[in-house]
Amino acid sequence: MTEHLNPDEQDALRLLSRSPHPYHHPNSELLDPSNKFSYRPIERDSSGTRLAVPPASREVTPSSDSGTEADDEHFLKGLPAPRRLHKGLRGRNEALSGTSTPLSSPAALVLEEEDRKLPLNSKKEAHLGKQPRSPTNTLRRRKEIVRRLTELLIVAFLGIVVHANICVKLVLRRWYRELYVWIGVTAVLVLLYPLRLVVWAYWHRTPSRKIPVSLPASFDPAPLLYPPVITVFASLLLSTDNEAVLLPNIILAICSLPQSLVPAVSNSDRGCDLLHWALSCTPLLVSESHWRAGTAHIGSRDSFVATISLETTTLLYPLHQNLCSVLHALTTTSLLTAELQLLSISLIDLLLLSSSPQAIILKSMLWVGGLDIIVSCGQVIRWGISLARVPKWRFKRTASQSKPTSAFLSAIMPWRRVRHDLFHASVDSSSCSSCEAFDEPEDSDGTGSIPSRGLTRSRITTLDGVNSGGTEEKPTSTTNPGHKFSSHIADTRLGSTPLRRHTTPSTENTPRKSYTHTPSGRRKRTASYSVRAFFSLTQEQAIARKWIYAAYVYICIAGAIFLPLPSISVKAVVMDEALRGNEPIGWALGYLFGDLPLFRWEVVSHNLERWICLPPRLIDEPGRFHSMGWVDHLRQSYLGEANTRLVLSAYFLLVIVVGLIVVFRLSPIYEVDTRRKVFHFTMVAMFLPATYVDPIFAALALSIVLALFLLLDLLRASQLPPLSKPLASFLAPYVDGRDLRGPVVISHIFLLIGCAIPLWLSLGSLARIGTGPLEGWDVPTREVGMVSGVVCVGLGDAAASLIGRRYGQRKWLWGGGKSLEGSLAFAFAVLAGLTAARLWLRIGGWPTSGDISDTWSVAFQKMGTCAATASLTEAVLTGGNDNVIVPVVLWTCVKSLGV
């Protein structure tokens, strides 16, 4: 039916959907964009000729977790109700799928008013079948072009900044061939894509224009830009200490290119394209020596350098594609395409390149524990979700037990005879109005006929006033489809209002309730087979089965963590690969309590030194602590490293408790967004002063909390007792639009990841020190980039939200919800945070890996450049979560400029 329509008209029809699609988000596929800023309804005249109508333009503000949006919530509530053209179809003011509010923004209303004032010649062109040129569409397209060009300029600037780094230049001299191959493959695929579209258009139809290619205003280059660019830039900065990370990430950058760019050579739907696989292996063809990466800059880190074999690099493409499929099945619509690609690349790097003890612990929790839970509990969790979707009234009802009566009393004084004598009721049970109801079939989800349920009670009232009762077969056929009629038969449901007695019924047929159609005639929705399988259970049986599922899931989680099975248990992998054979629980006790005198005495006196690893006592040798800063000198000489970790743990706990108290106090006063920013400031108070004291411990704490967040969100989404409902109730007041797009509540997870990724990347580029059981658990230097994530997410995003929502009046050129005031607040907050971090680094006296010999004026220029780049990236970003991408951009600038 629609094959004779052009692509624009097909896209317009696709928007006329009855289903609201609450989990639908804009599709990133280039060949078939699913989110349009405008659509053109198709009208026909009396002769059937299609008439072009001026497009009903509306500006869709992409949802974002950004804080620079002005608070439009207050005056949106005062807007009139949106107009609807037809019942069940989307009107011009009705929100598209994926928007954050069902009402149009004020900017969209202004644009619609401008569209109504089209000139007369545009209306004539519409009646002639020509597409009118709306000034609103042209202006919006120009704004979007400016926005996307700004995004490209930011990426180009990042490339220039990374290339300007002295250490990166040395790496580029040895790996320029592989990088040129990546740039060449990407450029060729991007340039050939419009040509492929033109050839396809002329091959399958007759286009009306010579070049039937147009760039839609909703085009978002995020899936094409950020996954490969961020991957390569971060690997270049990390390769200054270990060049083995560069080649696999160049291959992964090619693997992350959108599938639409690569011509399909096979019709396989398994996600692995042969041509794309071959293109991902092209850097291996020009590489001079694949194993040379492990020979540079090893020094004292030879035990913490990871290399990848040639066979593994050739299999990166199928690993990446299958991992993306698994992650998409788990998260469904919670993650955008760019976020999904970045997550897959990060997990593959963690799997293949993790060499430090902290990275191995994170790998064991995410990979080993995650796979154990998915394999052992995946089907049970799906059953639990299906069971939770069944409403209580759909379960099978248990037979109601009547109260036991004495047979002797019944024989002497029958209740029916007493009721007849007192209330003049009929002795026959069928004449009792309360006994005339019977159980009708439940609302069926299927389309079949309604089966009979045997003999049922009915009451028949004739025109002459004679009442008779009896039993008869329930009718199973109907004369009119969609409605069932019954003549002179009044059936009532069990427990419903009884029929009136001794009344003359209407001679017209009264319709009965339909079990397959709604009163308006629409067919009822059919329940899925996974849900229908539980309809035969009673409510008590369903509750018992939920607890059985929950007990099985909890047992599997405990087994995945603590069972002593090599390569399967998290505990076994951590013991063998991260702790050099030491038992994890005993090692953790020594790591936290090893400097307490009483604890050391108990361990030694009970001969537990083989289980609990006690840290060695430091001897104050002459000149040992003179090269340290006063904070390190205090930590190692007086307080002790283990005691310092206890103090930091108590400090973290105290800040969390204070933050929760503040949030609960602000709940009845301030809106949700303001309360959410309290958690951002809590992260700043926790990690900005404490990261430099013990960065390894801070990174380990963030890794454990991330794994705990993921596990708790899995239990919440599985809807299994007893933790599911309390977790959902606690998170409900703090969710936003992104959390409602899919089953995963991503706000707190992305907040933690945004603070942790810069710290993890900085530790991956630093040397490791330590002795005995704590080998590799300390770093000799610090750098400002460690806290760039905390500064960006905790200070920048929070300040932008608070200032932008209160004082944001001037929007950016390309529109949307971002304000200039919020972006300026973001930049100043990041600048202040970087300044405080550099000042604390100077005051603490820690040795640094970067060049801090710059004067404060030069340092301010560098930090201002980093803050402005991060703020502008946050303003133009639409295809990814700014709590993840913007911190990585800021870390790239800080690391490259040597702040």
Side-chain angles (χ1 to χ4, degrees), residues 246-283:
L246 185 57
L247 184 59
N249 282 280
I250 293 176
I251 296 175
L252 288 173
I254 299 177
C255 296
S256 64
L257 293 176
Q259 293 286 345
S260 302
L261 288 179
V262 184
V265 296
S266 62
N267 295 326
S268 177
D269 295 333
R270 298 182 179 180
C272 293
D273 185 79
L274 296 180
L275 179 58
H276 201 170
W277 192 350
L279 291 176
S280 66
C281 297
T282 50

Side-chain angles (χ1 to χ4, degrees), residues 853-869:
S853 60
D854 295 335
T855 61
W856 277 102
S857 61
V858 176
F860 267 116
Q861 294 177 5
K862 292 182 178 180
M863 290 185 293
T865 302
C866 297
T869 304

Side-chain angles (χ1 to χ4, degrees), residues 21-26 35 60-65 96-101 331-336 339 735-746 878-880:
H21 301 293
Y23 286 170
H24 177 73
H25 61 80
N35 187 11
V60 178
T61 302
S63 61
S64 174
D65 296 334
L96 298 175
S97 300
T99 54
S100 58
T101 172
T331 61
T332 60
T333 54
S334 295
L335 298 181
L336 301 178
E339 299 166 356
V735 297
D736 62 355
R738 285 295 308 272
D739 297 325
L740 301 177
R741 288 187 176 184
V744 183
V745 179
I746 61 176
T878 57

